Amino acid sequence: MTTTGTPLTTTTTAARTVGLVKEYGSGPHAVRALDGIDVSFGTGEFTAIMGPSGSGKSTLMHLLAGLDTATSGHVLLGGTDLSRMSDRELAVLRRTRVGFVFQAFNLLPMLTARQNITLPLKLAGRRLDHAWLDLVTTTLGLDERLEHRPSELSGGQQQRVAMARALMTRPDVLFADEPTGALDSRTSAEMLAFLRRSVREFGQTVVMVTHDPGAAAAADRVVLLRDGRLAGELRDPSREDVLEAMGGLGATA
Amino acid sequence: MTGLTLATLRTQARRYVGPGLAVLLGVAFVATTLTLSATLTASVRTAASGDLGAWAAVVSAAEGDGPETLPESALERVGDLPEVGDVSAERSGVLVHDAVSDVFLVTTAPADERQLPVESGRMPASTGEVAVSTDVATSLGLGVGDRFSTPRGGATVVGVVDTSEDPRATGLGTVVATADEVTALTGVEGWTELRADAADGVPDAAAVEAVRTALGSEATVRTGAEAADAAVQQMTGGRDVLTGFLLAFAAVALLVSAIVIANTFSVLLARRARETALLRAVGATRAQVLRSALLEAVVLGLGASLVGVGVGALAARGLAAASSASGLGIPLTTFTVPLSAVVVPTLVGVVVTMAAALVPVVRSARISPMAALRPDAAVTARSRAGRVRIGLGLLGVLGGGAILAAGATAGVLPLGVLGGAVSFVGVLLAGSVLVPAVARLVGSMPARAAGIPGEMALENTVRHPARAASTASALLVGVTLIVMMSVGAATGQRSVTGSLDDRFSVDVAVVATSGDLGPGVVRQMDDIDGVVASADLPGVRTDVGDVTDQQVVGIPSSAADVVRGDGLGGLAPGVLLAARESADAAGLTDGARTTLSVGGHDVPLTVRVSDDAPVSFAVTTEDLRTLAPDAGTRTVLLRLAPDADASGAVAQAKAVVAGTGAAVSGGAPMRAQLEEVVDTLLQVVTALLAVSVVIAVVGIGTSLSLSVIERTRELALVRALGLTRRQLRGMLAGEAVLLAVVATVVGSVLGTVYGLAGPMSLFGGSVPVVLDVPWDRLGLVALAAVVCGLAASVLPARRASRIAPAAALADD
């Protein structure tokens, strides 16, 4: 248990799924990646999604973030049903209401850090809130590195630039897909600390997919998945709690 | 998004050098063509109209049945008008000079004598004096003080003038004389043309109107500008064949550029697929991705086009200068870059770039945003249309081939062209099957011989069938067209030569126009290279039937070896063999009886009219001796070996009789002329198509360099595993050469088929077509392709050999 803040009580829901099903392929060879998931993510809460390989955790995130469309069921993001949206509407949703941090390859190599950070705003044709940019980049310790290209930044700096980009639009939910996967342990800890700060200081809702129990322990809540179904959840877990729960799923972390 | 596009262009500038160069060359071609065309038009105007445009009014005799010149009094009537200032009058006519069967223009001096600079002597000042142009002086061997004699009398040469700046002299030798002397030499009276200036303070239009009123219906009055337009029209025939001809080749170059651009963009965008996916993941719509990539194409197209226009204008300037310096044709002195030569090529360049980039751009925008999340997956944009494309391609090859065969057998040219085009498009579409197959066919043997690098080169080439196909296609276009032109020209020439031999019964006929040829000439003719038989024909001039002073020759029995076919059929003692048109002119019919008389000797003869007779009128040598016992040789007939150099033989024959006025005719001169025209045309066409080949080579280089960037880790791995730098370079050179050879092989096969089908469709059975493959030329094309391939691999190979083996282990 590494959390120091008071656990937040969920009063409103930032994102929710209802009977969510995702199948790949069709006919007898169809693979059911998600098999009826009902789960909610509270506003201002830091949730980690865990599960063994093939449990459907990445698919769940893709559907929540509007990167992919469901076979059946619904994804509700702040009251909007994503399952009826066109490709264009999903693109607009991604740049205005969702933020992303990936494991690797988060940044466009030809753009500077500042240009990468402001990209979603440019795409949306929205005005840049300079005060917000300053606050976010200062909080993330990036204010000195804004005119550098990704190739001139360290791995941790690159991930923080990706985080700053994700925060720029004040999204309903910030999705992080194995954000610490490509980082060493010290940089991982730093990254998780920044994620926590964004939850605490900006009230940001964060949903993180990870297979690292240490990373999951930084979350307020851990949702466990197995074979495309929910397999329990933990509140304010410690690393050991997570390891034990994972063991119960029959998987090694 | 504009910022993103510009950032991409800036940071990846080197990758755009290849496609940029392809656009640049294509656009430069168009710009050169348009600039040259404008320069030519302006120069033609200067050459054809001289100072015509500067006069207010240009007056000539009214068109129609009336006199061809203005009356003598017109000069005074126009000159006396108060609205008219200076008036210049021209009297000119044509003089046919019998001795050299040449036509001269005899004219008064122009108002502005600077148009006719005097080289030596002076301008004629009175009757009995003339000045001649330099070409007349040379051909007649005249100098100042010599007598210029003509059938209508003569005059003393008082000067030699340079007519190169005189618009009226084009093509004709010029003789300058006073008005009265022009009348004496040509019989022309009155004025050919009057040019009038407006008096001070009088508008040109008023002067034109005054002249019109004064001369009435007997004259045509035009403004100077109208007269200049008419002169240009007359000189060019009003058609602009050259521009169309050049633009056709510019279009080929642009087509090749488009293939290169499409290819480069698909590689570039495939390589950027993950970046595109990331853009989509952070919320770029498909339309935004599409627009950004298209903007990239526009910026590239615009930049390259603008440079291309500059290069094109410079090239046109250089060509114009070179053409003026060489003294051929019209001096391109009035260099002009019209607005159209800037705007049109630029637009064309931008549109071609965009159009070529469209398919790869649309394909890349289809990528799923999730592709950005898979860190290790090799992301490539896929083409679903592959099978449809190949199907359509095969259909095109078969269907086009059938249409082509039909067009060739039936001799319908448009059908042949359609079939050729359809089948070629089919080959391009089916390229992703054809190119790897041919690559394996021609590459496997040498690849095995070259060891590991060779085998790897072959596998790399066939690994991306679509990319290999489109890279080879660019070169295929140029090679096919060059081979088609070469085979077509050789085949057409050989076929036509065959039919010329059938049509002309004599290869070379040397005919004296006055006097005898002399024994020296006869002997020298026998020594000409390629002559296998000759016959000396004595001749006399006498009246035949209704026509006077005709050449009648005696045919010796040795002529049978010289004259082909049935030309002399029917000739026997007591027979006058007459060529059809000569018999018609003389009013003689087949079987008629006539008597020839020379100096008191009479010979009665029976007329035989022949369609194939090699000379106008012929009798046996015996009959001719009876008629004129002392007749000298008037005509020499030569038979050339079938493989003789006709052009050379004709040139030698002409050299032998130079200055004697004898004419050289027959089938060989026609063949020589044909050879010369075809060879020149072929050289020009090959040079023009070479531009598209250069673009294609740039394409191969670009494609290879992109694949080097793409394969950095793989290349580093093979280096780490022990491939030497040299072997690596060899491997890349092998890839480039293999593609070039594949394009050459396919292009040569296609080109040969088209080159055979072309003449067949064109001649439509009127001439039996004999296939002639110019192997030396094809060999040159193949050699050029290999060299081009090697050249294209130099830069990519250098870059590849700089990759450190350790890069295999690093992340990208």
Side-chain angles (χ1 to χ4, degrees), chain A residues 149-166:
Chain A
R149 286 190 206 285
S151 55
E152 299 158 335
L153 299 174
S154 71
Q157 284 168 336
Q158 289 186 29
Q159 284 303 71
R160 278 183 274 148
V161 170
M163 226 173 108
R165 181 188 62 206

Side-chain angles (χ1 to χ4, degrees), chain B residues 278-347:
Chain B
L278 179 60
L279 268 175
R280 294 275 290 127
V282 299
T285 60
R286 208 166 270 174
Q288 281 176 317
V289 170
L290 209 88
R291 242 179 286 138
S292 166
L294 272 187
L295 183 64
E296 225 171 291
V298 171
V299 172
L300 172 73
L302 192 64
S305 297
L306 287 176
V307 180
V309 167
V311 170
L314 284 180
R317 167 139 234 178
L319 285 172
S323 137
S324 301
S326 70
L328 295 170
I330 299 156
L332 299 175
T333 46
T334 320
F335 185 73
T336 318
V337 183
L339 189 62
S340 65
V342 175
V343 175
V344 172
T346 308
L347 277 180

Side-chain angles (χ1 to χ4, degrees), chain B residues 12-152:
Chain B
Q12 306 193 338
R14 285 174 65 179
R15 295 177 197 177
Y16 293 91
V17 170
L21 205 55
V23 180
L24 190 154
L25 288 171
V27 167
F29 202 151
V30 179
T32 306
T33 302
L34 294 179
T35 307
L36 267 187
S37 159
T39 300
L40 185 65
T41 308
S43 302
V44 163
R45 194 175 180 86
T46 311
S49 63
D51 67 345
L52 265 183
W55 296 93
V58 176
V59 191
S60 53
E63 283 164 27
D65 302 333
E68 287 180 11
T69 54
L70 295 161
E72 197 95 22
S73 65
L75 176 58
E76 218 163 289
R77 276 186 282 157
V78 172
D80 288 348
L81 290 170
E83 294 89 347
V84 169
D86 285 346
V87 181
S88 152
E90 179 188 305
R91 179 178 299 172
S92 59
V94 167
L95 163 69
V96 181
H97 197 291
D98 282 4
V100 289
S101 58
D102 216 342
V103 179
F104 300 129
L105 176 76
V106 184
T107 181
T108 50
D112 181 0
E113 293 200 354
R114 277 172 307 181
Q115 285 185 13
L116 264 167
V118 177
E119 297 251 299
S120 59
R122 58 175 173 82
M123 278 292 186
S126 62
T127 312
E129 295 182 346
V130 292
V132 296
S133 60
T134 40
D135 47 340
V136 174
T138 315
S139 70
L140 296 184
L142 292 176
V144 173
D146 289 344
R147 184 144 184 87
F148 174 71
S149 42
T150 77
R152 295 184 64 98

Side-chain angles (χ1 to χ4, degrees), chain A residues 47-50 57-58 61 176-179 207-211:
Chain A
T47 309
I49 301 174
M50 290 203 77
K57 55 184 192 296
S58 287
M61 196 201 76
D177 185 6
E178 304 278 10
V207 174
M208 172 176 72
V209 168
T210 186
H211 67 269

Side-chain angles (χ1 to χ4, degrees), chain A residues 66-179:
Chain A
L67 285 169
D68 207 349
T69 48
T71 308
S72 67
H74 298 274
V75 175
L76 297 147
L77 196 76
T80 318
D81 189 352
L82 270 53
S83 38
R84 301 262 174 275
M85 289 179 120
S86 71
D87 181 79
R88 200 195 130 74
E89 288 167 326
L90 283 175
V92 172
L93 174 118
R94 287 197 296 270
R95 72 188 176 208
T96 51
R97 298 180 49 192
V98 181
F100 287 106
V101 180
F102 308 132
Q103 176 179 359
F105 195 71
N106 264 304
L107 306 176
L108 289 168
M110 59 280 196
L111 299 182
T112 61
R114 180 197 296 277
Q115 286 170 326
N116 265 294
I117 292 170
T118 55
L119 186 63
L121 291 174
K122 292 265 177 63
L123 288 171
R126 271 163 57 181
R127 284 199 41 183
L128 176 63
D129 180 346
H130 285 281
W132 180 237
L133 175 68
D134 288 345
L135 180 60
V136 168
T137 51
T138 315
T139 308
L140 292 172
L142 286 170
D143 40 338
E144 304 280 311
R145 316 293 294 170
L146 285 178
E147 303 314 321
H148 292 72
R149 286 190 206 285
S151 55
E152 299 158 335
L153 299 174
S154 71
Q157 284 168 336
Q158 289 186 29
Q159 284 303 71
R160 278 183 274 148
V161 170
M163 226 173 108
R165 181 188 62 206
L167 290 170
M168 244 9 254
T169 55
R170 304 175 203 260
D172 289 5
V173 183
L174 188 159
F175 291 99
D177 185 6
E178 304 278 10

Side-chain angles (χ1 to χ4, degrees), chain B residues 711-731:
Chain B
R711 289 186 284 165
T712 301
R713 286 179 80 165
E714 174 190 322
L715 295 174
L717 182 65
V718 293
R719 290 271 290 120
L721 293 177
L723 200 73
T724 65
R725 256 196 195 137
R726 210 190 156 79
Q727 284 176 314
L728 184 67
R729 275 201 292 264
M731 180 182 97

